[in-house]
Structures are given as structure tokens and as C-alpha cells.
Amino acid sequence: MLDTARPEPRPRADRYARWAGLAVGVVTAPLWATMDISAFGNENGFNVPWAGGVMAFGLCAVGGVLLGDALTPRPREAVRIAGLAPRRVRDHVPPRMTPLLLLQAVFLVGLVGIGAAASSGTVDRAVRAALAKCDGVTGPPVGLWPGMFYGSQILASFAIGTVACAWALHRIAQRPGDDQQRRDRSLAITAAWGVLVSTQLVVVLLLISNFLTRGNCGAGMLGTVTALVIYPLGLLALFTLAWSLFTVVMPRATRR
């Protein structure tokens, strides 16, 4: 494989685009959260519009990083470098953080799928009836996390962000330049995807915690599951979110 490479100056446009994406996300999130969506899929009074706001913030963060990558100048000088090994995306992404983000993505899809599957038909009624009696007293219906309405939004935004970042990583792996340049660009894309995954996982875990609290189900087996799975997973999501935000805000400040 032949490359055309030259030393790449660090463009300010890339950094400004990343910051702009985060800034737009900060502005857009509360606007989205304050929209009146109570008329859609809210049969049981389960209304958490801030979940949509977090989704909007994650997508804006991804968009800012992708815009910055698009504004980065490409190598122009014809310095020919022969390379026989095929380039793979996994050789350029951060090797320590990427598996953690993939693990969180699996949990995100799984938890949203469970909540969505249990939010319809006889399964919904059976689960609600069982969990409404966690304290020995039948109470009002408890909204399942995050349900079909919010779950479909979360999965749709996750799919859009994942496809966009995967396409960008593939394009970066095949573009001219040296390996360090490709690793720097791949690090930024991975961090942007990490913002999207971690924020949405935190939302889902908060909804699960609220779901158990409203149903008074914090004791017994469900309490044990929460302590052993939900809380550690939440801490992991917060850690990867902090790493992702720092990497997006401070380009090239972190290399894994």
C-alpha cells in the first residue's frame, strides 16, 4: 500500500469544532428536555424528557468531532511510503478503552431491550403486578425502564452515532498519513462515541434505579442485583464518560 504523507499541523478548526459540538449539545439538551412530549407514549405517567436531552447532547458531541475531522487538512506532499500490511481499524483505536466502551454498548442494548420487551402486553402487566408488591402492598403501576417510547429513541440515536463513527474510523484507517496521525484521529472518534454510549448508559441505569425505588424493590434479590451489577456498571460508565469528555475537549492530551 502506498501512502502520501507529510507532517500534519494541528488545525485549530478541529478543536473549535469539538468545542462547538459540546456547546451546541449543552444548549440543545435542555431545549429538547423541555419539549412537551407528554402526549406520546406516556400512558402511565412515566415522563423523563431529560433522557431525550442526554441523547441530543451525545449526538452533538459526535457531530462536533466528525466535523472537526472533516475540517482537518489532508496530506498533500507526495512522499511515497510503501506499506504491505493491510490497515485495520482495531490497530488504530485505543486498545484499553475501546473494549470497555464495547462492553457498555452491549449492556446498553441489552438493558434497553429488556425494558422494551417487558413494556408491552401480558409481560408488562405481569412484571408490574409482581414489582408493585415488592413491599407487600399493591401500589400503582410502575413505569418500566425506559420503555418502548424512550427505548426506541435511545436505540435509534445509538445506531446513528455508531454507524457514523464506524464509517469515520474506516475512512481514517484508509486515508494517507502516518500511523500516529491515524491513531490521533481514531482516538477522537472513539472518545466521541464513548460520550454517546456512556451518557445513555448512565440514563438507563438511573431509570432502572428509579424504577426499583418507586416499586420499593430495593431489598432482596433485586437489591443484590442492583448492588452487584447496576452500581459498578454506573461507576464504569461515569469513568469512561469523564475520559471521553476530557479526550474530546483536550485533543491529543490522552493517548491509549
Side-chain angles (χ1 to χ4, degrees), residues 3-61:
D3 291 346
T4 59
R6 70 177 177 86
E8 178 188 355
R10 190 64 191 174
R12 293 183 179 180
D14 177 30
R15 178 174 299 182
Y16 293 158
R18 298 188 193 190
W19 292 350
L22 294 176
V24 171
V26 170
V27 174
T28 302
L31 294 177
W32 186 276
T34 55
M35 293 178 61
D36 183 12
I37 59 173
S38 59
F40 300 95
N42 191 25
E43 300 175 356
N44 297 290
F46 186 60
N47 190 13
V48 282
W50 50 269
V54 172
M55 173 196 69
F57 174 78
L59 288 177
C60 289

Side-chain angles (χ1 to χ4, degrees), residues 221-233:
M221 182 184 67
L222 288 176
T224 302
V225 171
T226 301
L228 295 179
V229 178
I230 303 303
Y231 293 154
L233 190 58

Side-chain angles (χ1 to χ4, degrees), residues 24-175:
V24 171
V26 170
V27 174
T28 302
L31 294 177
W32 186 276
T34 55
M35 293 178 61
D36 183 12
I37 59 173
S38 59
F40 300 95
N42 191 25
E43 300 175 356
N44 297 290
F46 186 60
N47 190 13
V48 282
W50 50 269
V54 172
M55 173 196 69
F57 174 78
L59 288 177
C60 289
V62 170
V65 173
L66 294 179
L67 176 62
D69 181 67
L71 295 176
T72 301
R74 301 295 178 262
R76 290 190 298 269
E77 294 181 4
V79 178
R80 301 177 67 84
I81 304 172
L84 300 178
R87 298 196 196 127
R88 300 174 299 182
V89 172
R90 65 182 182 182
D91 294 331
H92 300 96
V93 296
R96 298 179 183 176
M97 298 303 298
T98 302
L100 293 180
L101 294 175
L102 291 174
L103 177 64
Q104 291 180 70
V106 171
F107 273 102
L108 173 64
V109 175
L111 292 174
V112 173
I114 292 173
S119 295
S120 60
T122 58
V123 175
D124 176 25
R125 291 190 292 271
V127 172
R128 295 186 186 201
L131 295 181
K133 298 180 180 179
C134 285
D135 58 354
V137 179
T138 301
V142 181
L144 291 170
W145 76 89
M148 287 293 295
F149 178 62
Y150 294 106
S152 60
Q153 295 183 49
I154 290 174
L155 290 181
S157 62
F158 172 76
I160 293 172
T162 300
V163 170
C165 291
W167 172 79
L169 288 174
H170 175 75
R171 189 167 59 91
I172 289 170
Q174 301 303 318
R175 75 172 48 161

